[in-house]
Each structure stands twice: as structure tokens, then as C-alpha cells.
Amino acid sequence: VLQTLSTSLLLQFLPASANAVQDVPTNQAATSAGRRQCQTDTNPTRTIVECTGELRQFNLDGRLSGVSATANGVSTSAVRNPSRFSPPWTYLTETSDAKVAWKSLIDAVKGVDARMEIVELTDEYLHATVPTEFPSGATYDDIEFLIRPEDTIVLYRSVSRTSVFLYPLTQPVSDKNSNLKRLEKIRNKLGWDALGERQEGSKMI
């Protein structure tokens, strides 16, 4: 019987301390707060922030990062930021074999978007990139998956590298939940279950 993961279990998959591996935000700006390795382009009407330092490879504990309130996307590690949290998936609706499940996931990721490019792949971790759909002027979304055979679950993170802020707003222009919708396409194709309430995404700006 599938059961919803408790918050205490989810916390096991959070980076032990985000601050331990986090660089100082660009120019201490509110628009890059909580993000790492950012470049900022600003004019009087808008600010564009692009960050590339939040991937698993930059986390000393090997876990997936959460999602800052200044970024668009969702993550199973964003327990402390409910609007960016999405629950883990279980593959038990398909198989109990982690290797079979992992192959199915790889195929589903490849098939969800013709522009998807897998840039790193191991027996437990997948990192892919795809051009950002919204807002215009953005670059890429980073999609990460991490399988946990001992728990028969898959953790994930899908986040836009680029955030666009229109003066005087301090929340990024919405991705129209494109990161979440892409993940849902993958999960629905697999027929896997989400271990928690379905996430509706952050409010759109």
C-alpha cells in the first residue's frame, strides 16, 4: 500500500545546509537571494538573473537542491518553500525493479520534448536541459532526477536558470508552470504515482 511520505522523511533528502555550499548572492540583490553562481543584467525597467550553481554536482551531500522563491520551478527538496514543492514519485505502479524503472524514466525524458538534451547520466542520476518556454528571453531549464531504490522512489528538480523581474516586483515573471507541467507529462507517460497531493504550482505574475 502506497503511503504519503511524511515531512520528516522528505527532510532526509534536503541538502544538509544550503548555506554550506552557497556563494554570496550577486551584489546581495533580492532578485538572486537564495541562488548560486548568478549573473545579473539590469536596466531601469527589468532585471534578468541567470544562475547555474544549484545543480547536484555543487552540493557536497549529493542531494538535489530546493528552489528559491526568486526562481521558477519545483523540487522534491523544496519542503520549506511550499509553492515550489512537488512530491516524490513511486515507480511501484510499473515495477519493483529499480533498473527497469530507471530505463523507463530515461525513455520518458527523451520523449517528452524533442529539444531535450541529456547532459549527464549515471545509474542513479540524470541531468537534462531544455530551452525555457516562459518567459521570453530566458535560456534553459535544468531537469534532474535521482532514484532511491531503497525507498522505491524518484526525486526530481526542474528549475529555470533565468528569472526575469519587472520593476518594482521582487517575484519572477511566471514560467506559467511549464516546469511542473513538463514533469507531469513525464509522470503520466510512465503511469507512476506521486506520493502526496498534486502540486498546482506557484501563482502566476
Side-chain angles (χ1 to χ4, degrees):
V1 178
L2 302 179
Q3 295 181 339
T4 300
L5 288 181
S6 65
T7 300
S8 60
L9 178 58
L10 289 172
L11 286 172
Q12 295 178 21
F13 304 116
L14 285 171
S17 173
N19 291 333
V21 294
Q22 182 173 325
D23 295 332
V24 176
T26 305
N27 298 326
Q28 295 291 337
T31 51
S32 60
R35 306 198 70 183
R36 293 175 254 159
Q37 297 185 22
C38 302
Q39 293 184 338
T40 301
D41 179 19
T42 301
N43 67 33
T45 61
R46 62 102 183 103
T47 296
I48 298 177
V49 179
E50 182 173 359
C51 305
T52 58
E54 299 155 349
L55 296 171
R56 178 177 179 247
Q57 63 181 297
F58 299 112
N59 293 335
L60 299 180
D61 55 16
R63 298 175 181 178
L64 299 182
S65 297
V67 185
S68 166
T70 59
N72 283 314
V74 293
S75 172
T76 52
S77 292
V79 176
R80 297 187 180 92
N81 190 358
S83 68
R84 305 296 198 270
F85 171 77
S86 195
W89 301 342
T90 177
Y91 49 81
L92 288 177
T93 52
E94 178 196 2
T95 179
S96 60
D97 189 327
K99 292 182 179 179
V100 172
W102 192 236
K103 183 180 183 303
S104 295
L105 177 62
I106 294 168
D107 291 342
V109 170
K110 290 178 178 178
V112 75
D113 191 315
R115 302 168 300 168
M116 185 78 71
E117 179 181 358
I118 295 178
V119 295
E120 183 178 352
L121 180 62
T122 71
D123 291 338
E124 65 170 11
Y125 174 73
L126 183 155
H127 171 214
T129 62
V130 66
T132 300
E133 293 184 35
F134 304 102
S136 60
T139 55
Y140 290 93
D141 296 345
D142 288 296
I143 302 97
E144 298 176 280
F145 289 98
L146 187 64
I147 193 167
R148 294 295 194 198
E150 64 273 22
D151 298 307
T152 63
I153 63 172
V154 168
L155 309 174
Y156 55 86
R157 181 178 186 269
S158 181
V159 178
S160 301
R161 293 181 187 177
T162 306
S163 295
V164 179
F165 301 84
L166 301 179
Y167 181 82
L169 300 175
T170 57
Q171 289 293 312
V173 174
S174 175
D175 67 345
K176 298 185 179 181
N177 289 329
S178 57
N179 280 283
L180 177 61
K181 290 175 181 177
R182 187 187 303 113
L183 288 167
E184 283 296 290
K185 285 182 181 179
I186 294 171
R187 187 180 67 81
N188 288 333
K189 184 173 183 178
L190 291 164
W192 294 359
D193 280 343
L195 292 174
E197 295 184 6
R198 181 181 178 276
Q199 174 60 268
E200 295 182 356
S202 56
K203 293 181 179 179
M204 296 185 185
I205 297 177

